[in-house]
Amino acid sequence: MIEDSPFVAAAPVLVPMPAERPYTYAVPAGMRVVPGSIVRVPLGPRQVAGIVWDGAVEKVDAKKLRPIEQVFDCPPIDRAMRRFVDWIAQYTLSPPGMVARMLLRAPEAFDPEPWIEGLQRTFANPDRMTGARMRVLETAEGGLAWTRSGLAHAAGVSSTVIDGLKAQGVFETVMIPPRPVVAAPDPSYAQPSLMPDQSDAAAMLGTNVAAGAFGVTLLDGVTGSGKTEVYFEAVAAALDRGKQVLILLPEIALTHAFLERFQERFGAKPAEWHSDLPPRMRERVWRQVSEGGVRVVAGARSALFLPFRELGLIVVDEEHDPAYKQEDRVFYNARDMAVVRGHIGGFPVVLASATPSVESRVNACQG
């Protein structure tokens, strides 16, 4: 209990504004927060989302403390990401709150996705059988739950046929969990036939990933030499270890052709993250990344601030591209920050380019 206060404790909260340090808020009785918890707090006349941060709280008059209003039902931001935010703030001379702001870009994702109302077959039979009803019953065999529209589409009937069967007790209402934004990639779906040099490079990357330790590899090869196929094998190795993967690309390179190429190798597309992504999809990707449901993200530089739960590999394709540089509010180069993220998280980073930057080439030569 805080002296002269009805609250039991206090916690430092980093809010998304140009603040040089976290602000101290009171923790009401019955509320549990840990470092990394995403909370809603009062800030002046507004309510904003913030992150419970590390470190000791400031000595503030208990009577002046304002309470945390809500703890969102969301996985906490892990220790590695919090260190990453602090490191960027110190390196770029930016307020930590402005760096944290890039992490909190999908506020609607802080609450769980609602479950969907669906239908499931019961043991009852309709009083009269028609061709349309027969198709519905055949489609619904196996006990799987369906959405009303999904079942109607799969059976090739109108929704009124589904409604009629439900009214007769042939289907019962069940709740279906939210659909994943993408299917899970399969590392063994379509293993490629690589040339000897490609196989050697892929084997080295796979060994680095299997070691589960930090290291940076520069993948240098002319256009068309198969760099993508090679680093896809590193992605497969990370997936085999149960890790998530981030593939960074300049937005201009995040094309339909790349997504299809990934799908041909892994049987599913990666989740996308870029400026043209619709807000609702951004929220779903953010949430499912934080819960570990999305295993691979292909995105622009801002994807570096997604709250990965089990990140085990970052690939920076076209690492020389100037599009990785942000020059608004927080100035940084996503290629360099990806290396820092790997160092903090203790996992490998792959830089790929047909024309490596001078600094990457020098670093690779110097080891």
Side-chain angles (χ1 to χ4, degrees):
M1 179 72 72
I2 304 175
E3 188 176 352
D4 297 329
S5 171
F7 304 115
V8 296
V13 177
L14 191 60
V15 293
M17 62 166 291
E20 295 183 357
R21 63 187 186 283
Y23 291 160
T24 300
Y25 286 87
V27 181
M31 179 181 288
R32 180 177 179 273
V33 297
V34 297
S37 294
I38 300 179
V39 296
R40 181 165 57 87
V41 295
L43 185 65
R46 300 178 295 142
Q47 299 279 329
V48 300
I51 306 171
V52 177
W53 216 243
D54 305 277
V57 296
E58 293 181 309
K59 292 183 179 180
V60 181
D61 185 348
K63 296 178 181 178
K64 295 182 179 180
L65 288 180
R66 303 178 72 179
I68 295 173
E69 297 288 342
Q70 176 187 359
V71 181
F72 289 102
D73 185 4
C74 182
I77 304 301
D78 68 13
R79 171 65 177 158
M81 179 56 84
R82 300 197 305 275
R83 287 180 59 199
F84 183 52
V85 169
D86 282 336
W87 195 97
I88 291 180
Q90 294 174 11
Y91 183 76
T92 64
L93 303 179
S94 302
M98 295 305 292
V99 183
R101 184 174 181 268
M102 296 189 288
L103 187 57
L104 300 173
R105 284 181 168 173
E108 297 300 322
F110 302 156
D111 288 314
E113 293 184 66
W115 285 45
I116 306 165
E117 185 176 294
L119 300 172
Q120 193 169 35
R121 181 80 162 88
T122 67
F123 294 107
N125 291 310
D127 56 5
R128 182 174 59 88
M129 188 63 71
T130 65
R133 288 181 171 182
M134 179 64 74
R135 292 198 300 276
V136 172
L137 298 184
E138 290 176 350
T139 303
E141 285 182 353
L144 296 177
W146 292 78
T147 62
R148 174 174 171 268
S149 59
L151 181 56
H153 178 76
V157 302
S158 67
S159 297
T160 55
V161 176
I162 310 297
D163 294 337
L165 290 171
K166 181 183 177 184
Q168 294 183 26
V170 178
F171 289 99
E172 63 181 351
T173 300
V174 295
M175 299 308 292
I176 305 174
R179 293 181 302 168
V181 293
V182 288
D186 180 1
S188 59
Y189 178 75
Q191 296 183 355
S193 177
L194 300 176
M195 300 295 288
D197 288 347
Q198 292 175 321
S199 295
D200 292 343
M204 186 186 71
L205 293 180
T207 300
N208 293 344
V209 171
F214 170 68
V216 183
T217 303
L218 177 60
L219 192 58
D220 180 9
V222 298
T223 302
S225 61
K227 295 184 297 298
T228 303
E229 284 74 14
V230 170
Y231 74 63
F232 275 176
E233 297 314 294
V235 172
L239 293 174
D240 279 333
R241 293 187 65 240
K243 297 297 185 180
Q244 293 170 292
V245 178
L246 170 60
I247 303 174
L248 289 177
L249 302 104
E251 287 213 22
I252 195 171
L254 190 54
T255 61
H256 185 66
F258 174 83
L259 301 176
E260 285 190 338
R261 200 168 174 182
F262 186 94
Q263 185 175 23
E264 289 171 0
R265 170 61 181 86
F266 295 100
K269 292 182 179 180
E272 299 175 54
W273 186 267
H274 50 78
S275 59
D276 290 335
L277 204 63
R280 181 58 185 146
M281 181 57 71
R282 290 175 68 88
E283 293 154 7
R284 297 187 65 208
V285 170
W286 194 100
R287 180 78 192 193
Q288 294 184 27
V289 165
S290 71
E291 293 175 340
V294 167
R295 305 310 296 173
V296 181
V297 174
R301 61 177 183 246
S302 59
L304 199 56
F305 295 93
L306 285 171
F308 287 93
R309 186 174 183 172
E310 302 166 310
L311 188 57
L313 173 69
I314 297 179
V315 177
V316 185
D317 204 351
E318 305 293 344
E319 63 86 25
H320 64 277
D321 199 296
Y324 285 123
K325 297 180 180 179
Q326 173 166 302
E327 299 177 345
D328 178 33
R329 295 194 177 103
V330 179
F331 291 67
Y332 68 92
N333 186 319
R335 177 203 61 206
D336 299 341
M337 296 304 104
V339 173
V340 173
R341 181 74 176 87
H343 184 266
I344 291 173
F347 56 78
V349 178
V350 177
L351 309 180
S353 175
T355 54
S357 60
V358 173
E359 55 267 40
S360 294
R361 169 80 72 175
V362 170
N363 289 336
C365 291
Q366 292 180 347

